[in-house]
Amino acid sequence: MASTVRICVVGDEATGKSSLISALIKDTPPTSPVQPVFPSITLPPSLSTPDNVTTTIVDTSALPQERQNLRKEVRKSNVILLVYSDHYSYERIALFWLPYFRSLGVNVPVVLCANKSDLMPTGETTASVVEEEMMPVMAEFKEIDSCVRTSAREGYNVNEVFFLCQKAVTHPIAPIYDAKEGCLKPAAVEALKRVFYLCDRDQDGVLSDKEVHDFQMKCFEKPLSEADLASIKRSVIKPGSTDEEKEAAGIDLDGFLLLNRMFAEKGRHETIWIILRKFQYSDSLSLKDHFLHPKFDVPAFASAELSPAGYRFFVDLFLLHDQDNDGGLSDTELAHLFAPTPGIPSSWQEAGFPSCTVRNEAGYITLQGWLAQWSMTTFESPKTTLEYLAYLGFNNDNPTRAGTTAALKTTKPRSKRRNRPGRIERNVFHCYILGAPSSGKSSLLNAFLHRPFSPTYHPTIKPQTAVNAVELHGGKQCYLILSEMGELEPAILENPTKLMNSCDLLCFVYDSSDPDSFRHILELRRKYPALEELPAVYTALKADRDRAVQRTEVQPDGFCEGMRMGKPLHVSVRWNSIGELFAQLAECATFPSQGFPKSEDGEAGEGDGSGMVLWVGGGAALCAALALGWVWRRNWIGDR
């Protein structure tokens, strides 16, 4: 909404332009002729519109020698007050003034004013003037916002005409109503549909009396009387309904849109704007940017997660839209849930939603999968979560934190050196699955989401992601994101900075029945040294088959023993015990020092431990050199 309104008063000479301004300022009709052009005046918000804007009123002259100044002022204006007072000046409205504004490229609303109504011929009524003079011009020139009759001498409608000018800027009708077609414009309809959706708290498609009262208090901050409510319901209920049906029925979406169309038709479009602005819409009928994208910074080495209020909101949203109570959201229910948004987030579609999270037997996302999906989205892109919280109507009841950011929280930053003992204070972790082709990575992701095993092999080309909840020892729950990178693996591993920022844990997997499978892990570690900076878990998959001796210089068990790490866990996706692997991954992500090589004293060391050996050896050599120097110096002093 504009913070200032600049009104340019235009019209033929002697139509009473300056008299209207004088009557407004002095609050009394002019008793003597006023100057030809009234000086520009500025009204502070307290004397201006209820919308708390500053108003500047600029008078102009129609004389040819003042045409350059007229052009300048018209182009600077937010609204034009076009005044006429007799038949000649009325004819000039369509023949000169409105085409002249168009020739200047001016695209601002025009308020048409028929002044000197005190000189109206006997028998001529305001209704006849509106119908015979004003409506034909308004039908031809859509830039005319409204029209009014005034009299500066009698003080008739003087305040009202300037209020209409203010309202034409602060509450423009052009974006919301098509006067030619007699209907609300599509953008306004979409915005009002979202308002209806958010006010229909029980999602039954009808605003109950309580929901209407809540809507009234939110938008207008004053209660709605029972008589007014009954009158509104009677005006929008479909024809043919009995009085009892009209009293008992609520207001459906069609009735809500009809009600707002009636506001526009009656010139009460400021009511529609009050509603839209309460629901954070801008003048362009899009949600305000600061509402969709509030400031939310995640410190370095920290992450974003849903707060208890955020989880509660998404739980309530799921339960509200699971209309058949089958524990899953069908395609229809999902479409209805995302109706007030641009649709399912693009990042979800790229990840293959809903196949990337937990579904029921019918293929519908469950509550567990729903919360896991939003946990992953918040971890990877908190801005996306904040945007959808705004679209979906998150209400913050916490007075200490305003807006949608109350649904999120930031975690304590983790140490740059992850091999230090201690717990990572987070609930969402990201694990990369690395291993040779056909080692079982995709089957592992499917098992993580409780899907049946398929013996058919499909090589992974596009990255795949799976997210689910995992219970830690002691009963605490966290969310684990498992990612198989596909053809993007080299690009990701070659970028150490991105790897360190996005990944919490590495899971190296190999096919225990394939003698060449473990070699791929050793080659990865040699090719990408940055992998040694991340905690890792080694896993032998396909343990239900005969174990093969790996064609490498060291066997997997010996490799892990050499680094004083736990031996690879032998699992199979066909075994019920596969859940132990996921629990181990979550534990290692929570306590990352478990995933690093250990020194001889049992503490986690850097990389494969060679750094610690070099440091100790260097220290011993330095001590020996110092001792030799001390002995030589002592002997040299003794010889003297």
Side-chain angles (χ1 to χ4, degrees), residues 12 82-84 87-102 110 112 133-134 136-141 143-144:
D12 286 345
L82 181 54
V83 183
Y84 73 94
H87 183 72
Y88 173 76
S89 57
Y90 166 73
E91 291 290 334
R92 292 255 300 165
I93 296 296
L95 294 176
F96 172 74
W97 285 110
L98 290 169
Y100 176 65
F101 299 152
R102 289 182 176 182
V110 175
L112 187 59
E133 292 183 1
M134 295 180 171
V137 180
M138 292 183 70
E140 182 179 356
F141 297 92
E143 55 265 49
I144 299 179

Side-chain angles (χ1 to χ4, degrees), residues 171-366:
H171 303 91
I173 194 171
I176 59 177
Y177 186 69
D178 187 333
K180 182 178 180 180
E181 299 295 333
C183 62
L184 295 170
K185 290 188 175 180
V189 171
E190 289 303 311
L192 290 169
K193 282 183 177 179
R194 176 177 171 272
V195 171
F196 180 89
Y197 170 98
L198 297 180
C199 294
D200 182 16
R201 304 298 297 175
D202 55 9
Q203 291 298 301
D204 64 348
V206 174
L207 296 184
S208 65
D209 289 358
K210 182 181 184 309
E211 289 169 340
V212 172
H213 281 296
D214 292 343
F215 166 79
Q216 171 76 14
M217 289 301 299
K218 177 180 177 66
C219 295
F220 306 101
E221 299 178 357
K222 59 182 180 181
L224 189 68
S225 69
E226 294 301 320
D228 288 339
L229 175 60
S231 175
I232 290 172
K233 291 166 69 174
R234 283 194 298 270
S235 66
V236 299
I237 295 299
K238 297 175 182 177
S241 302
T242 64
D243 292 339
E244 291 77 9
E245 289 174 337
K246 293 178 180 180
E247 292 293 332
I251 300 175
D252 60 11
L253 176 59
D254 290 340
F256 184 72
L257 294 176
L258 173 61
L259 183 63
N260 282 277
R261 193 189 79 191
M262 291 164 59
F263 288 147
E265 290 172 343
K266 294 177 180 179
R268 294 176 55 194
H269 42 279
E270 72 274 10
T271 302
I272 303 175
W273 276 115
I274 292 172
I275 295 170
L276 294 176
R277 285 172 179 152
K278 278 292 182 180
F279 284 85
Q280 302 296 326
Y281 281 93
S282 65
D283 291 351
S284 61
L285 291 179
S286 60
L287 287 175
K288 296 176 182 176
D289 187 69
H290 69 82
F291 176 65
L292 286 178
H293 307 111
K295 182 178 176 58
F296 185 80
D297 296 325
V298 181
F301 307 108
S303 64
E305 295 181 355
L306 289 173
S307 68
Y311 277 114
R312 184 168 60 251
F313 173 77
F314 283 118
V315 169
D316 293 343
L317 198 65
F318 181 96
L319 297 177
L320 182 63
H321 287 84
D322 182 16
Q323 296 288 337
D324 52 10
N325 295 317
D326 65 346
L329 294 180
S330 66
D331 294 343
T332 301
E333 290 168 338
L334 272 175
H336 187 261
L337 188 154
F338 282 105
T341 76
I344 293 175
S346 58
S347 60
W348 291 23
Q349 298 177 33
E350 293 168 2
F353 176 83
S355 64
C356 56
T357 191
V358 184
R359 296 179 290 175
N360 60 18
E361 294 180 355
Y364 303 151
I365 185 172
T366 64

Side-chain angles (χ1 to χ4, degrees), residues 298-304 379 410-418 424-426 497 500-501 504:
V298 181
F301 307 108
S303 64
F379 176 82
T410 56
T411 64
K412 182 180 179 181
R414 64 190 175 200
S415 172
K416 294 181 182 180
R417 296 176 58 187
R418 306 189 198 184
I424 301 295
E425 299 297 331
R426 288 164 54 183
T497 302
M500 295 294 290
N501 290 339
D504 297 295

Side-chain angles (χ1 to χ4, degrees), residues 443-629:
S443 295
L444 185 64
L445 265 61
N446 287 331
F448 186 48
L449 300 178
H450 311 299
R451 294 179 190 157
F453 170 73
S454 173
T456 307
Y457 173 65
H458 297 286
T460 300
I461 299 175
K462 294 179 61 177
Q464 294 190 64
T465 301
V467 59
N468 199 354
V470 178
E471 187 172 316
L472 301 169
H473 297 303
K476 184 177 180 180
Q477 181 177 273
C478 72
Y479 289 97
L480 189 61
I481 306 167
L482 302 183
S483 292
E484 182 186 3
M485 292 174 278
E487 291 185 344
L488 294 181
E489 181 177 293
I492 295 175
L493 299 184
E494 286 172 357
N495 188 337
T497 302
K498 183 176 181 180
L499 178 65
M500 295 294 290
N501 290 339
S502 64
C503 180
D504 297 295
L505 178 70
L506 301 172
C507 180
F508 290 107
V509 301
Y510 67 97
D511 179 355
S512 61
S513 66
D514 180 358
D516 296 313
S517 188
F518 189 70
R519 184 192 309 276
H520 184 80
I521 294 176
L522 299 180
E523 291 174 351
L524 282 177
R525 290 179 61 88
R526 282 194 292 266
K527 187 174 182 180
Y528 304 108
L531 296 178
E532 296 186 7
E533 304 298 323
L534 291 167
V537 171
Y538 294 83
T539 306
L541 296 178
K542 304 184 183 180
D544 55 311
R545 301 181 181 179
D546 293 336
R547 185 183 303 187
V549 177
Q550 297 295 310
R551 296 193 184 103
T552 54
E553 296 178 358
V554 60
Q555 294 300 300
D557 288 5
F559 177 80
C560 292
E561 286 178 351
M563 294 190 295
R564 295 181 174 84
M565 296 178 64
K567 295 180 181 179
L569 184 64
H570 287 254
V571 296
S572 171
V573 296
R574 300 188 182 192
W575 295 348
N576 293 331
S577 59
I578 187 66
E580 296 178 8
L581 171 61
F582 306 128
Q584 181 178 345
L585 293 175
E587 288 285 346
C588 191
T590 306
F591 300 93
S593 62
Q594 298 178 5
F596 284 97
K598 306 297 188 297
S599 60
E600 291 186 2
D601 59 3
E603 296 295 329
E606 296 273 359
D608 60 0
S610 58
M612 179 67 73
V613 173
L614 290 174
W615 186 86
V616 173
L622 178 61
C623 290
L626 290 173
L628 182 61

